[in-house]
Amino acid sequence: MESTRKNNQLYLDNEFLATLALAKEGILYPVDKLMNQAEAQEVEESGYYKGKPFPFPFIIAPAGEKNRETLEKAQKGETLDLFVDGKNRGFIIVEEVFKIDKKRRIEQLFGTYDLSNPETQIFLKRLGDYAICGEYEVWFDDIKQIKNKIEAAKQELDAKNVAAIMINANPFHRAHERVIRMTLEKYDLLVIFLLKPYKQDILSYDLRLRTLQYFVENYLPKNRVVIVPFENTYLFSSYKNAILDSICASNYGCNKLILGQHHSGIGAYYDKNEMKSLLDQYSDLAIEIEIIAEFVYCDECKTLVSTNTCPHGAHHHIKYHSKSLLEILKLGMLPPAIFMRKDISAMLLSELFKHRFDNISRIYDAIFPNNGLLENHDEKDFYLELMRLHQTTSLT
């Protein structure tokens, strides 16, 4: 229930709100509140909070002249209302307000103060001079709904072993499929956290969610997979985001986290043929972590393989490079079926290039086989038929 009190106000965005909700719902445990200055300093020096791993101080320092004026004048015990997009979404009772070192805060999250990095520039614009801590409430039910959804699935299956995978699916490709299937073979329940970006890309979040849902519903035992949106707030821009991923997956009720060796924030490397990462410094994380090798298509093996098990050299390997696949889609081209399922490619292109053709049914009927009857076809049908012809081999 929203407050009707007339208090001074802090102006936040949805990203800040989601971040506060993650802590309030126990997803960042042991962190359940904003840290004061002494706690923040201790976490920065030790990497621990209340005896548990946590990679950096949990603070918010909202930008804006109005926020600066409010925080400079704030008194201990005062209640400040939290406004997002003109609506009261919670409140905080001031315990402490303290000045922050912006350069140091960016180093905590990004590992370096590189002003040529666009993400650094974006974050710097959102970062104010003062942090605030204190007891707070926020009205943001998304996190609670996700917790309930996962718990319901666990109870339905009586699932003892629950694995988590965090992906962007930008775009969703065959290597994602292989990792998902491998994980399902070993675990009772798989939770796929689809990362919500804090900046929009050519593939909208809704479109990526629909492609992932389509794959699960049509090609997997769907009662054993839960797809949940994961609030990819500024915290997860950190070069230590794999540690935070581990903490969140554990607090959502998973006991295994699957990460690819190229997952940002793990710094994977080999030591005497054993894969290690930055995660090794936290041996007491409350979740088992498996780092898997890269998957490629080998033109000698004629299938999708792990680089750990394929005997052929890199000159035989076709890589699943998401940014490159995205570039192909941006140009309106169909990725070969070894990269992505043709039905998923068709979904993406028909959404990206709506009404691309003046008369799709006329083109469809003029080129492709038909039964002689007039039929209505859309862009998705066209791309599916085109891919089918791409896979015809007698003339190639």
Side-chain angles (χ1 to χ4, degrees):
M1 181 178 177
E2 296 188 7
S3 171
T4 57
R5 295 170 299 193
K6 298 296 182 182
N7 302 309
N8 287 324
Q9 300 167 0
L10 281 180
Y11 298 94
L12 309 179
D13 56 23
N14 273 306
E15 190 180 334
F16 272 130
L17 187 68
T19 302
L20 292 171
L22 283 171
K24 200 66 181 176
E25 290 296 333
I27 304 305
L28 300 180
Y29 180 82
V31 172
D32 56 5
K33 69 179 188 66
L34 292 164
M35 296 177 184
N36 59 36
Q37 189 171 19
E39 290 170 329
Q41 184 174 345
E42 181 182 349
V43 170
E44 182 179 359
E45 293 171 354
S46 69
Y48 282 79
Y49 179 70
K50 295 182 179 178
K52 302 283 187 180
F54 206 81
F56 44 74
F58 183 69
I59 61 173
I60 64 165
E65 190 58 36
K66 288 184 178 179
N67 285 337
R68 179 188 176 93
E69 291 175 3
T70 297
L71 291 174
E72 283 181 332
K73 297 175 182 177
Q75 300 295 313
K76 185 174 182 179
E78 180 183 358
T79 298
L80 302 179
D81 288 332
L82 306 176
F83 269 68
V84 179
D85 295 332
K87 294 183 179 180
N88 188 350
R89 301 297 300 276
F91 64 88
I92 184 168
I93 300 172
V94 180
E95 175 191 322
E96 182 181 356
V97 174
F98 55 96
K99 195 171 180 61
I100 67 164
D101 181 337
K102 289 186 177 182
K103 178 176 181 292
R104 186 67 199 123
R105 179 59 173 166
I106 288 174
E107 289 172 343
Q108 290 168 358
L109 294 177
F110 295 96
T112 181
Y113 188 71
D114 179 9
L115 293 179
S116 65
N117 184 340
E119 289 200 350
T120 302
Q121 290 284 0
I122 292 170
F123 185 67
L124 193 56
K125 291 178 181 177
R126 301 180 69 254
L127 188 61
D129 295 307
Y130 293 94
I132 182 172
C133 72
E135 291 296 325
Y136 66 86
E137 293 288 341
V138 291
W139 302 299
F140 186 89
D141 291 334
D142 299 36
I143 311 298
K144 186 178 296 182
Q145 290 170 2
I146 292 170
K147 286 172 62 178
N148 293 340
K149 185 177 182 179
I150 294 171
E151 187 58 35
K154 289 172 67 175
Q155 290 183 8
E156 179 184 348
L157 295 169
D158 191 25
K160 306 300 183 188
N161 296 308
V162 181
I165 296 176
M166 294 193 177
I167 62 173
N168 286 296
N170 191 28
F172 183 74
H173 52 65
R174 297 278 192 179
H176 291 135
E177 291 188 24
R178 179 57 61 90
V179 174
I180 289 170
R181 290 187 186 280
M182 284 177 50
T183 306
L184 270 177
E185 289 176 0
K186 301 177 183 177
Y187 293 88
D188 303 325
L189 178 68
L190 171 61
V191 180
I192 302 177
F193 293 97
L194 184 61
L195 300 177
K196 268 188 175 180
Y198 55 89
K199 56 183 181 180
Q200 197 58 266
D201 205 335
I202 185 173
L203 299 185
S204 69
Y205 182 79
D206 178 66
L207 181 56
R208 290 188 283 121
L209 178 60
R210 280 190 278 127
T211 58
L212 183 56
Q213 288 172 332
Y214 173 85
F215 171 71
V216 171
E217 290 171 3
N218 289 276
Y219 299 106
L220 294 178
K222 56 187 177 183
N223 68 317
R224 293 180 53 214
V225 180
V226 176
I227 302 171
V228 294
F230 192 71
E231 297 296 335
N232 192 18
T233 74
Y234 69 93
L235 291 180
F236 298 90
S237 300
S238 168
Y239 73 109
K240 294 183 177 180
N241 70 345
I243 300 166
L244 205 58
D245 289 345
S246 305
I247 292 170
C248 291
S250 174
N251 288 325
Y252 267 122
C254 304
N255 47 32
K256 179 82 170 222
L257 176 63
I258 311 295
L259 297 175
Q261 70 180 68
H262 297 305
H263 183 93
S264 60
I266 64 173
Y269 62 94
Y270 282 94
D271 181 15
K272 297 178 181 179
N273 294 324
E274 181 183 357
M275 190 179 291
K276 296 187 176 181
S277 76
L278 294 175
L279 291 164
D280 292 326
Q281 65 182 287
Y282 289 106
S283 58
D284 49 353
L285 283 167
I287 191 171
E288 185 182 352
I289 299 168
E290 180 180 352
I291 301 173
I292 59 175
E294 181 182 10
F295 281 98
V296 295
Y297 184 89
C298 175
D299 61 14
E300 285 289 320
C301 296
K302 305 297 182 187
T303 191
L304 201 67
V305 295
S306 163
T307 52
N308 271 0
T309 59
C310 180
H312 307 111
H315 55 290
H316 287 290
H317 292 167
I318 298 168
K319 296 185 177 181
Y320 290 81
H321 188 256
S322 292
K323 288 185 178 179
S324 298
L325 291 175
L326 202 56
E327 287 298 317
I328 292 172
L329 290 166
K330 284 180 182 179
L331 294 172
M333 297 169 61
L334 272 168
I338 65 166
F339 287 123
M340 299 172 62
R341 286 184 179 273
K342 60 181 183 293
D343 35 356
I344 288 179
S345 294
M347 286 178 65
L348 296 177
L349 287 175
S350 60
E351 184 69 24
L352 289 175
F353 298 92
K354 289 181 177 178
H355 314 301
R356 188 181 197 181
F357 305 99
D358 292 334
N359 191 333
I360 194 70
S361 291
R362 178 177 56 79
I363 298 172
Y364 187 100
D365 291 335
I367 296 176
F368 302 124
N370 61 72
N371 58 15
L373 300 175
L374 290 177
E375 299 173 340
N376 289 323
H377 297 284
D378 58 20
E379 273 98 343
K380 184 179 177 182
D381 297 329
F382 177 81
Y383 291 119
L384 285 171
E385 284 298 313
L386 193 61
M387 178 60 81
R388 187 177 64 82
L389 294 187
H390 275 306
Q391 294 174 286
T392 300
T393 58
S394 63
L395 295 179
T396 58

Coordinates of all heavy atoms in Angstrom, one line a residue, residues 106 112-118 120-121 124:
I106 N 33.2 3.8 -9.1 CA 33.2 3.3 -10.5 C 34.3 2.2 -10.6 O 34.1 1.1 -11.2 CB 33.5 4.4 -11.5 CG1 32.2 5.2 -11.7 CG2 33.9 3.8 -12.9 CD1 32.3 6.4 -12.5
T112 N 38.0 -0.4 -13.1 CA 38.9 0.6 -13.6 C 38.1 1.9 -13.8 O 36.9 1.8 -14.0 CB 39.6 0.2 -15.0 OG1 40.5 1.3 -15.4 CG2 38.5 0.0 -16.0
Y113 N 38.8 3.0 -13.9 CA 38.1 4.3 -14.1 C 38.4 4.7 -15.6 O 39.3 5.5 -15.8 CB 38.5 5.4 -13.1 CG 37.8 6.7 -13.2 CD1 36.5 6.7 -12.7 CD2 38.4 7.8 -13.7 CE1 35.8 7.9 -12.8 CE2 37.7 9.0 -13.7 CZ 36.4 9.1 -13.3 OH 35.7 10.2 -13.3
D114 N 37.7 4.2 -16.5 CA 37.9 4.4 -17.9 C 36.8 5.2 -18.5 O 35.7 4.7 -18.8 CB 38.0 3.0 -18.6 CG 38.3 3.1 -20.1 OD1 38.6 4.3 -20.6 OD2 38.2 2.1 -20.8
L115 N 37.1 6.5 -18.7 CA 36.0 7.4 -19.2 C 35.7 7.2 -20.7 O 34.8 7.7 -21.2 CB 36.4 8.8 -18.9 CG 36.5 9.2 -17.5 CD1 36.9 10.7 -17.3 CD2 35.1 9.0 -16.8
S116 N 36.5 6.4 -21.3 CA 36.3 6.1 -22.8 C 35.2 4.9 -22.9 O 34.7 4.7 -24.0 CB 37.5 5.7 -23.5 OG 38.1 4.5 -23.0
N117 N 34.9 4.3 -21.8 CA 34.0 3.2 -21.7 C 32.6 3.8 -21.7 O 32.2 4.5 -20.7 CB 34.2 2.3 -20.5 CG 33.3 1.1 -20.5 OD1 32.2 1.0 -21.1 ND2 33.7 0.1 -19.7
P118 N 31.7 3.5 -22.7 CA 30.3 4.0 -22.7 C 29.6 3.7 -21.4 O 28.8 4.5 -20.9 CB 29.7 3.4 -23.9 CG 30.8 3.0 -24.8 CD 32.0 2.7 -23.9
T120 N 30.7 3.3 -18.4 CA 31.2 4.1 -17.4 C 30.6 5.5 -17.5 O 30.1 6.1 -16.5 CB 32.8 4.3 -17.5 OG1 33.4 3.0 -17.3 CG2 33.3 5.2 -16.3
Q121 N 30.5 6.0 -18.7 CA 29.8 7.3 -18.9 C 28.4 7.3 -18.5 O 27.9 8.2 -17.8 CB 29.9 7.7 -20.4 CG 31.3 8.1 -20.8 CD 31.8 9.4 -20.4 OE1 31.0 10.1 -19.7 NE2 33.0 9.8 -20.7
L124 N 28.2 7.1 -14.7 CA 28.6 8.4 -14.0 C 27.5 9.4 -14.0 O 27.4 10.2 -13.1 CB 29.9 8.9 -14.8 CG 30.7 10.0 -14.1 CD1 31.2 9.6 -12.8 CD2 31.9 10.4 -15.0

